[in-house]
Each structure stands twice: as structure tokens, then as C-alpha cells.
Amino acid sequence: EPPARRPAVIFEANGQRVALLTDAVHGHIDAVIQQIERPAGLARWITGATVLDDGRPALLMDLASVV
């Protein structure tokens, strides 16, 4: 049986093209992001958060730090 197909986000980091596999891609949004002081213990790949139009929070990832 062939492996299941999964969506990927493709980006460039440190001069390399990288594919990040994901469970789903739900489109894109325009978000206002304000820089804040980084809390202690926060994973290095989380750069912040925003509140979606429906009130749900969404984490923002620094994709280059995942590589």
C-alpha cells in the first residue's frame, strides 16, 4: 500500500528549501502581529500568537528555527 499523501508547507531557510509536513492546511489569514517579550520556557520555534476572527488563538512559528 502506498504511503498516505500529506500536505506540506514549503519554505526557504538558511539557503535551503525545506518541506514541513502537516496534518492539514486551512488556507491563509491576514493577521496583526505585535512583538512581545518572550516568556521563559517558550519553545524556540514559537514566535508569538494571534487571535483569529472567530476568537480562537493561533500560534506563530519561526519556520527557520525548526530546521
Side-chain angles (χ1 to χ4, degrees):
E1 177 176 317
R5 294 183 69 171
R6 295 179 60 190
V9 176
I10 300 172
F11 61 99
E12 188 171 318
N14 304 321
Q16 294 182 313
R17 192 172 297 164
V18 179
L20 179 67
L21 295 179
T22 182
D23 292 328
V25 175
H26 298 284
H28 72 277
I29 62 166
D30 293 324
V32 175
I33 302 167
Q34 183 175 355
Q35 188 173 2
I36 59 171
E37 189 172 323
R38 187 175 184 77
L42 189 65
R44 66 183 175 96
W45 50 268
I46 297 175
T47 59
T50 190
V51 179
L52 302 175
D53 289 340
D54 63 5
R56 293 179 300 148
L59 294 177
L60 304 174
M61 293 178 63
D62 175 11
L63 296 176
S65 71
V66 176
V67 181

